[in-house]
Amino acid sequence: MTDEPLYAQLGFTDAEWGLLTGLPQSVLTAASAATPDSARKTRAESAAGLDRISDARASASGLVSAVAAAAVAEAGDPEIGEEPPVIEPSDPAGYAADVLVRAGEAATLLSTKASLADAETYRHWLLEIADAVVGAASTGGLLGIGSETVTEDERSFRDELAQALTA
């Protein structure tokens, strides 16, 4: 048995592992903050994103499964009722820009250190998180009439994320 950490066994440094494991929660936060919502809608978006992160622990990709397990251990497991605090950045646009830069760094890292299948599964998973968050609560309208499921700002963040993830 080895005392070597899992991330080292997978070929990553501590800093690289931190990038990969922190990005799913950051994508969730940036996608949620793309359009200001009520506290109830923000909680619904957060719950949808956390569920997507948690579900990835069963991924066929060993990398994604390990990253998801580490992310859930850090943020809390929704399956056992743990509810991490909802993060609302004071500068949503600046936060989103930072997340997009880190997503590009992760894509580059994965293209050099992970298998093609693991890299593609990780990229797709981050987009699934963003999709789950932006589709979790409609915005605007009156009593649900005339509301948008996905706003232009949310769609824009999701599209920019997809672009940043192409290495």
Side-chain angles (χ1 to χ4, degrees), residues 7 10 12-25 63 67-68 70-71 102-103 105-107 109-110 113-114 122 125-126:
Y7 62 82
L10 293 171
F12 297 100
T13 66
D14 185 44
E16 292 167 341
W17 190 246
L19 171 67
L20 295 176
T21 60
L23 203 48
Q25 178 69 42
L63 174 67
V67 169
R102 289 187 284 137
E105 291 170 358
L109 171 67
L110 292 172
K113 287 199 168 186
Y122 182 88
W125 175 48
L126 291 182

Side-chain angles (χ1 to χ4, degrees), residues 12-91:
F12 297 100
T13 66
D14 185 44
E16 292 167 341
W17 190 246
L19 171 67
L20 295 176
T21 60
L23 203 48
Q25 178 69 42
S26 296
V27 165
L28 182 164
T29 300
S32 180
T35 298
D37 286 314
S38 68
R40 181 186 60 78
K41 290 179 181 179
T42 299
R43 281 191 304 277
E45 291 171 340
S46 183
L50 288 172
D51 284 346
R52 187 64 61 157
I53 292 169
S54 176
D55 290 349
R57 292 179 292 180
S59 175
S61 163
L63 174 67
V64 170
S65 177
V67 169
V72 168
E74 180 70 27
D77 188 346
E79 290 181 11
I80 60 172
E82 294 177 343
E83 291 187 34
V86 174
I87 301 167
E88 296 184 46
S90 59
D91 176 12

